[in-house]
Protein backbone atom coordinates (compact mmCIF):
# COMPACT_ATOMS: atom_id res chain seq x y z
CA UNK A 1 0.00 0.00 0.00
CA UNK A 2 1.54 3.27 -1.13
CA UNK A 3 0.04 6.66 -0.24
CA UNK A 4 1.38 10.10 -1.16
CA UNK A 5 0.24 13.42 0.27
CA UNK A 6 0.26 16.26 -2.24
CA UNK A 7 0.07 19.77 -0.85
CA UNK A 8 0.28 21.48 2.50
CA UNK A 9 2.64 21.26 5.42
CA UNK A 10 3.12 23.72 8.27
CA UNK A 11 3.69 23.97 11.98
CA UNK A 12 1.03 24.63 14.56
CA UNK A 13 2.67 27.02 17.00
CA UNK A 14 1.28 26.57 20.50
CA UNK A 15 1.59 30.06 21.95
CA UNK A 16 1.13 28.97 25.55
CA UNK A 17 3.95 26.40 25.26
CA UNK A 18 6.24 28.25 22.83
CA UNK A 19 6.38 25.01 20.86
CA UNK A 20 5.92 24.35 17.13
CA UNK A 21 4.32 21.02 16.18
CA UNK A 22 4.54 19.78 12.56
CA UNK A 23 1.24 19.45 10.74
CA UNK A 24 -0.83 20.38 7.71
CA UNK A 25 -3.50 18.16 6.15
CA UNK A 26 -1.54 16.44 3.39
CA UNK A 27 1.56 16.06 5.58
CA UNK A 28 -0.48 14.66 8.48
CA UNK A 29 -2.16 12.12 6.23
CA UNK A 30 1.22 10.71 5.16
CA UNK A 31 2.55 10.46 8.72
CA UNK A 32 -0.63 8.84 10.00
CA UNK A 33 -0.86 6.49 7.03
CA UNK A 34 2.71 5.37 7.70
CA UNK A 35 1.85 4.65 11.33
CA UNK A 36 -0.96 2.43 10.03
CA UNK A 37 1.34 0.37 7.81
CA UNK A 38 1.45 2.16 4.45
CA UNK A 39 4.53 3.19 2.49
CA UNK A 40 4.30 6.97 2.32
CA UNK A 41 5.65 10.12 0.72
CA UNK A 42 4.90 13.82 0.83
CA UNK A 43 5.26 16.31 -2.02
CA UNK A 44 4.77 19.93 -1.02
CA UNK A 45 6.75 23.16 -0.84
CA UNK A 46 8.90 23.62 2.25
CA UNK A 47 10.63 26.79 3.42
CA UNK A 48 14.39 27.06 3.94
CA UNK A 49 13.91 28.26 7.52
CA UNK A 50 14.26 26.46 10.85
CA UNK A 51 10.61 25.40 10.64
CA UNK A 52 11.08 23.82 7.23
CA UNK A 53 14.15 21.99 8.49
CA UNK A 54 12.17 20.65 11.42
CA UNK A 55 9.33 19.44 9.17
CA UNK A 56 11.78 17.55 6.95
CA UNK A 57 13.58 16.02 9.95
CA UNK A 58 10.27 14.83 11.36
CA UNK A 59 9.31 13.34 7.99
CA UNK A 60 12.58 11.41 7.86
CA UNK A 61 12.08 10.08 11.39
CA UNK A 62 8.55 8.98 10.45
CA UNK A 63 9.73 7.23 7.29
CA UNK A 64 8.02 9.68 4.91
CA UNK A 65 9.86 10.22 1.62
CA UNK A 66 10.24 13.96 0.87
CA UNK A 67 12.75 13.63 -1.98
CA UNK A 68 10.47 15.45 -4.45
CA UNK A 69 9.64 18.41 -2.18
CA UNK A 70 10.67 21.81 -3.61
CA UNK A 71 12.45 23.99 -1.05
CA UNK A 72 11.89 27.72 -1.42
CA UNK A 73 13.48 30.69 0.29
CA UNK A 74 11.04 32.13 2.78
CA UNK A 75 8.82 31.33 5.73
CA UNK A 76 7.26 27.89 6.06
CA UNK A 77 3.55 27.70 6.74
CA UNK A 78 2.57 28.30 10.35
CA UNK A 79 -0.56 28.76 12.39
CA UNK A 80 -0.85 30.10 15.94
CA UNK A 81 -2.85 27.97 18.36
CA UNK A 82 -4.03 27.94 21.95
CA UNK A 83 -5.63 24.90 23.58
CA UNK A 84 -8.74 25.47 25.70
CA UNK A 85 -10.22 22.41 27.48
CA UNK A 86 -8.47 20.14 25.00
CA UNK A 87 -9.86 21.98 21.97
CA UNK A 88 -7.71 23.92 19.51
CA UNK A 89 -8.39 27.64 19.15
CA UNK A 90 -6.55 29.39 16.31
CA UNK A 91 -5.24 32.95 16.68
CA UNK A 92 -5.41 34.36 13.17
CA UNK A 93 -3.74 37.64 14.08
CA UNK A 94 -0.66 36.29 15.83
CA UNK A 95 1.61 36.06 12.77
CA UNK A 96 2.00 39.05 10.47
CA UNK A 97 2.61 37.30 7.16
CA UNK A 98 -0.50 36.25 5.28
CA UNK A 99 0.99 33.15 3.64
CA UNK A 100 3.93 30.76 3.81
CA UNK A 101 5.92 29.44 0.87
CA UNK A 102 3.55 26.49 0.44
CA UNK A 103 0.74 28.86 -0.52
CA UNK A 104 2.95 31.31 -2.42
CA UNK A 105 4.81 28.64 -4.39
CA UNK A 106 2.75 25.44 -4.63
CA UNK A 107 4.60 22.66 -6.50
CA UNK A 108 4.50 22.68 -10.28
CA UNK A 109 4.87 19.00 -11.09
CA UNK A 110 7.57 18.04 -13.58
CA UNK A 111 7.28 14.94 -15.78
CA UNK A 112 9.45 13.15 -13.23
CA UNK A 113 7.17 14.31 -10.40
CA UNK A 114 4.07 13.16 -12.26
CA UNK A 115 5.53 9.71 -12.88
CA UNK A 116 6.52 9.52 -9.21
CA UNK A 117 3.04 10.42 -7.93
CA UNK A 118 1.42 8.02 -10.38
CA UNK A 119 3.55 5.16 -8.99
CA UNK A 120 1.50 5.25 -5.76
CA UNK A 121 -1.81 3.54 -5.10
CA UNK A 122 -3.46 6.67 -3.73
CA UNK A 123 -2.79 10.41 -3.78
CA UNK A 124 -4.36 12.67 -1.17
CA UNK A 125 -4.69 16.45 -1.35
CA UNK A 126 -6.85 19.17 0.16
CA UNK A 127 -8.48 22.53 -0.38
CA UNK A 128 -5.53 24.18 1.39
CA UNK A 129 -2.97 22.80 -1.06
CA UNK A 130 -3.87 25.06 -4.03
CA UNK A 131 -3.04 22.20 -6.38
CA UNK A 132 -6.33 21.59 -8.16
CA UNK A 133 -4.68 22.31 -11.52
CA UNK A 134 -1.86 19.85 -10.82
CA UNK A 135 -4.29 17.10 -9.86
CA UNK A 136 -5.91 17.46 -13.28
CA UNK A 137 -2.57 16.60 -14.91
CA UNK A 138 -2.34 13.19 -13.26
CA UNK A 139 -3.15 9.98 -15.10
CA UNK A 140 -5.74 8.50 -12.74
CA UNK A 141 -6.76 5.35 -14.63
CA UNK A 142 -5.18 3.35 -11.78
CA UNK A 143 -4.44 6.02 -9.15
CA UNK A 144 -7.06 6.64 -6.46
CA UNK A 145 -7.57 10.32 -5.61
CA UNK A 146 -8.89 11.54 -2.25
CA UNK A 147 -9.48 15.12 -1.13
CA UNK A 148 -10.29 16.95 2.10
CA UNK A 149 -12.67 19.91 1.69
CA UNK A 150 -12.47 20.78 5.41
CA UNK A 151 -15.36 22.87 6.79
CA UNK A 152 -15.17 26.31 5.19
CA UNK A 153 -18.07 27.41 3.00
CA UNK A 154 -15.81 28.92 0.34
CA UNK A 155 -14.75 25.37 -0.55
CA UNK A 156 -18.37 24.23 -0.95
CA UNK A 157 -19.50 26.62 -3.65
CA UNK A 158 -20.97 25.12 -6.80
CA UNK A 159 -18.03 26.46 -8.82
CA UNK A 160 -15.40 24.83 -6.59
CA UNK A 161 -17.24 21.52 -6.32
CA UNK A 162 -17.74 21.44 -10.08
CA UNK A 163 -13.99 21.94 -10.59
CA UNK A 164 -12.70 19.38 -8.11
CA UNK A 165 -15.29 16.62 -7.72
CA UNK A 166 -14.93 14.93 -11.14
CA UNK A 167 -11.33 13.99 -10.22
CA UNK A 168 -12.18 12.29 -6.93
CA UNK A 169 -12.71 8.74 -5.78
CA UNK A 170 -13.41 9.85 -2.21
CA UNK A 171 -14.08 13.28 -0.71
CA UNK A 172 -14.06 14.24 2.96
CA UNK A 173 -16.21 17.01 4.45
CA UNK A 174 -16.43 18.11 8.08
CA UNK A 175 -20.12 18.66 8.83
CA UNK A 176 -20.34 19.00 12.62
CA UNK A 177 -23.57 20.75 13.57
CA UNK A 178 -25.51 19.76 10.44
CA UNK A 179 -28.58 17.53 10.54
CA UNK A 180 -28.49 14.10 8.92
CA UNK A 181 -31.04 15.28 6.36
CA UNK A 182 -28.80 18.20 5.40
CA UNK A 183 -25.77 15.93 5.23
CA UNK A 184 -27.45 13.37 2.98
CA UNK A 185 -28.73 16.08 0.66
CA UNK A 186 -25.26 17.62 0.45
CA UNK A 187 -23.62 14.24 -0.25
CA UNK A 188 -25.94 13.67 -3.20
CA UNK A 189 -25.05 17.12 -4.52
CA UNK A 190 -21.33 16.32 -4.33
CA UNK A 191 -21.87 13.03 -6.14
CA UNK A 192 -23.87 14.89 -8.75
CA UNK A 193 -20.72 16.84 -9.55
CA UNK A 194 -18.83 13.59 -10.21
CA UNK A 195 -17.27 12.49 -6.90
CA UNK A 196 -17.71 8.73 -6.46
CA UNK A 197 -17.77 8.38 -2.66
CA UNK A 198 -18.43 11.01 0.00
CA UNK A 199 -17.39 10.79 3.66
CA UNK A 200 -18.96 13.27 6.07
CA UNK A 201 -17.69 13.54 9.63
CA UNK A 202 -19.86 14.95 12.40
CA UNK A 203 -17.49 15.18 15.37
CA UNK A 204 -19.00 13.38 18.32
CA UNK A 205 -21.90 12.40 16.05
CA UNK A 206 -19.72 9.94 14.12
CA UNK A 207 -19.45 9.55 10.37
CA UNK A 208 -21.54 8.86 7.29
CA UNK A 209 -20.20 7.44 4.04
CA UNK A 210 -22.30 7.56 0.87
CA UNK A 211 -20.85 5.26 -1.79
CA UNK A 212 -21.10 5.39 -5.56
CA UNK A 213 -23.40 2.36 -5.34
CA UNK A 214 -25.84 4.33 -3.17
CA UNK A 215 -24.88 2.61 0.08
CA UNK A 216 -25.24 4.64 3.30
CA UNK A 217 -22.81 3.51 6.03
CA UNK A 218 -22.77 5.08 9.50
CA UNK A 219 -19.89 4.98 11.96
CA UNK A 220 -19.43 6.00 15.56
CA UNK A 221 -16.75 8.16 17.12
CA UNK A 222 -14.79 6.70 20.02
CA UNK A 223 -15.01 9.31 22.77
CA UNK A 224 -12.00 9.92 25.00
CA UNK A 225 -10.91 12.67 27.36
CA UNK A 226 -8.75 14.44 24.81
CA UNK A 227 -5.39 15.96 25.59
CA UNK A 228 -5.48 17.72 22.22
CA UNK A 229 -7.89 17.31 19.28
CA UNK A 230 -5.36 18.59 16.72
CA UNK A 231 -5.17 16.03 13.93
CA UNK A 232 -8.26 14.09 14.98
CA UNK A 233 -9.93 14.33 11.58
CA UNK A 234 -6.74 13.74 9.60
CA UNK A 235 -5.82 10.68 11.68
CA UNK A 236 -9.30 9.21 11.22
CA UNK A 237 -9.18 9.69 7.45
CA UNK A 238 -5.64 8.31 7.08
CA UNK A 239 -6.41 5.16 9.07
CA UNK A 240 -9.69 4.78 7.15
CA UNK A 241 -7.89 4.96 3.79
CA UNK A 242 -5.16 2.50 4.78
CA UNK A 243 -7.68 -0.04 6.05
CA UNK A 244 -9.75 0.26 2.86
CA UNK A 245 -6.66 -0.37 0.74
CA UNK A 246 -5.72 -3.30 2.96
CA UNK A 247 -9.20 -4.74 2.44
CA UNK A 248 -8.94 -4.51 -1.34
CA UNK A 249 -10.28 -1.10 -2.38
CA UNK A 250 -9.01 -0.24 -5.83
CA UNK A 251 -9.93 2.08 -8.69
CA UNK A 252 -12.48 -0.18 -10.34
CA UNK A 253 -13.66 -1.94 -7.17
CA UNK A 254 -16.72 -0.34 -5.51
CA UNK A 255 -16.65 -0.10 -1.73
CA UNK A 256 -18.49 -2.85 0.12
CA UNK A 257 -20.34 -2.38 3.38
CA UNK A 258 -18.17 -4.86 5.29
CA UNK A 259 -15.03 -3.02 4.15
CA UNK A 260 -16.40 0.33 5.26
CA UNK A 261 -17.55 -0.88 8.66
CA UNK A 262 -14.19 -2.48 9.44
CA UNK A 263 -12.40 0.66 8.29
CA UNK A 264 -14.65 2.85 10.44
CA UNK A 265 -13.76 0.80 13.50
CA UNK A 266 -10.01 0.90 12.86
CA UNK A 267 -10.08 4.64 12.11
CA UNK A 268 -12.06 5.53 15.24
CA UNK A 269 -9.66 3.58 17.45
CA UNK A 270 -6.62 5.25 15.91
CA UNK A 271 -8.08 8.78 16.00
CA UNK A 272 -8.91 8.32 19.69
CA UNK A 273 -5.27 7.48 20.41
CA UNK A 274 -4.07 10.52 18.47
CA UNK A 275 -6.23 12.75 20.69
CA UNK A 276 -4.08 11.70 23.64
CA UNK A 277 -0.96 13.30 22.10
CA UNK A 278 -0.06 17.00 21.89
CA UNK A 279 -0.01 18.44 18.39
CA UNK A 280 -0.90 16.33 15.40
CA UNK A 281 1.61 13.63 16.36
CA UNK A 282 3.98 15.20 18.88
CA UNK A 283 7.57 16.00 17.82
CA UNK A 284 7.30 19.61 19.01
CA UNK A 285 10.15 22.09 18.57
CA UNK A 286 10.62 24.54 21.43
CA UNK A 287 11.10 27.92 19.80
CA UNK A 288 10.18 31.57 20.30
CA UNK A 289 8.08 32.81 17.37
Amino acid sequence: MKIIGLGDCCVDYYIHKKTAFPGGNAFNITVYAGENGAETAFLGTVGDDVIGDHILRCAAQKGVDTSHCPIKHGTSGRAAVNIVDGERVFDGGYFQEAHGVGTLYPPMLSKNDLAYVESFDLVHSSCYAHLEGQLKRLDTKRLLVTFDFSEEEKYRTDAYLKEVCPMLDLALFSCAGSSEEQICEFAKKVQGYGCKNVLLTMGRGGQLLVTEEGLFCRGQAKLVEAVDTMGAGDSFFAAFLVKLLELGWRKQAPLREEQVREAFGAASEYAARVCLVEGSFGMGLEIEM
Side-chain angles (χ1 to χ4, degrees):
M1 299 174 295
K2 297 176 62 179
I3 294 178
I4 183 168
L6 184 61
D8 54 320
C9 63
C10 67
V11 292
D12 297 305
Y13 182 63
Y14 284 27
I15 302 167
H16 60 298
K17 295 181 69 70
K18 294 183 170 54
T19 302
F21 292 95
N25 177 263
F27 188 69
N28 282 347
I29 291 291
T30 63
V31 170
Y32 294 142
E35 290 188 345
N36 281 273
E39 179 181 341
T40 61
F42 171 74
L43 200 169
T45 305
V46 181
D48 62 354
D49 55 357
V50 65
I51 294 304
D53 289 343
H54 182 61
I55 289 170
L56 293 176
R57 283 198 304 271
C58 291
Q61 290 178 42
K62 288 292 188 178
V64 177
D65 180 15
T66 57
S67 59
H68 284 250
C69 287
I71 299 175
K72 298 290 186 180
H73 178 63
T75 304
S76 296
R78 53 189 187 172
V81 185
N82 270 318
I83 299 297
V84 180
D85 296 328
E87 295 290 335
R88 59 188 177 185
V89 179
F90 288 95
D91 184 345
Y94 186 83
F95 293 118
Q96 295 301 312
E97 75 272 2
H99 302 291
V101 293
T103 301
L104 295 173
Y105 312 109
M108 302 298 291
L109 302 180
S110 66
K111 288 184 179 180
N112 186 39
D113 292 333
L114 288 170
Y116 176 70
V117 174
E118 290 163 3
S119 72
F120 285 76
D121 299 310
L122 184 150
V123 58
H124 173 80
S125 193
S126 83
C127 56
Y128 300 122
H130 308 287
L131 288 173
E132 294 83 1
Q134 298 303 304
L135 286 174
K136 293 175 184 177
R137 297 177 59 208
L138 293 170
D139 182 350
T140 59
K141 288 191 291 290
R142 186 194 65 83
L143 180 67
L144 289 164
V145 182
T146 64
F147 197 89
D148 191 334
F149 286 84
S150 191
E151 58 188 6
E152 297 178 50
E153 288 301 321
K154 65 180 178 180
Y155 298 118
R156 302 186 183 196
T157 64
D158 289 342
Y160 191 73
L161 294 173
K162 184 177 182 179
E163 177 187 7
V164 178
C165 287
M167 299 184 280
L168 307 181
D169 296 286
L170 177 59
L172 173 65
F173 294 87
S174 177
C175 297
S178 299
S179 69
E180 186 165 315
E181 182 180 356
Q182 290 172 321
I183 288 171
C184 291
E185 183 177 345
F186 180 70
K188 291 176 182 177
K189 177 180 179 179
V190 172
Q191 288 182 314
Y193 281 119
C195 180
K196 295 181 178 66
N197 305 285
V198 186
L199 176 62
L200 309 111
T201 59
M202 300 166 282
R204 291 175 175 269
Q207 315 85 33
L208 174 66
L209 179 74
V210 183
T211 75
E212 60 181 315
E213 303 296 308
L215 182 67
F216 286 71
C217 298
R218 292 170 176 80
Q220 293 182 336
K222 181 175 181 179
L223 302 181
V224 296
E225 189 170 338
V227 170
D228 185 355
T229 56
M230 187 72 74
D234 294 346
S235 59
F236 179 90
F237 197 45
F240 184 71
L241 294 176
V242 172
K243 181 56 70 173
L244 287 180
L245 290 175
E246 183 183 309
L247 294 172
W249 183 41
R250 297 295 184 269
K251 190 74 176 186
Q252 304 303 328
L255 290 170
R256 303 189 308 275
E257 184 173 2
E258 58 270 25
Q259 289 175 315
V260 175
R261 295 200 181 284
E262 186 170 342
F264 272 161
S268 293
E269 289 285 342
Y270 179 68
R273 295 198 300 272
V274 167
C275 288
L276 302 179
V277 177
E278 282 192 303
S280 292
F281 48 85
M283 305 185 79
L285 173 68
E286 293 186 12
I287 186 173
E288 186 84 39
M289 297 177 72

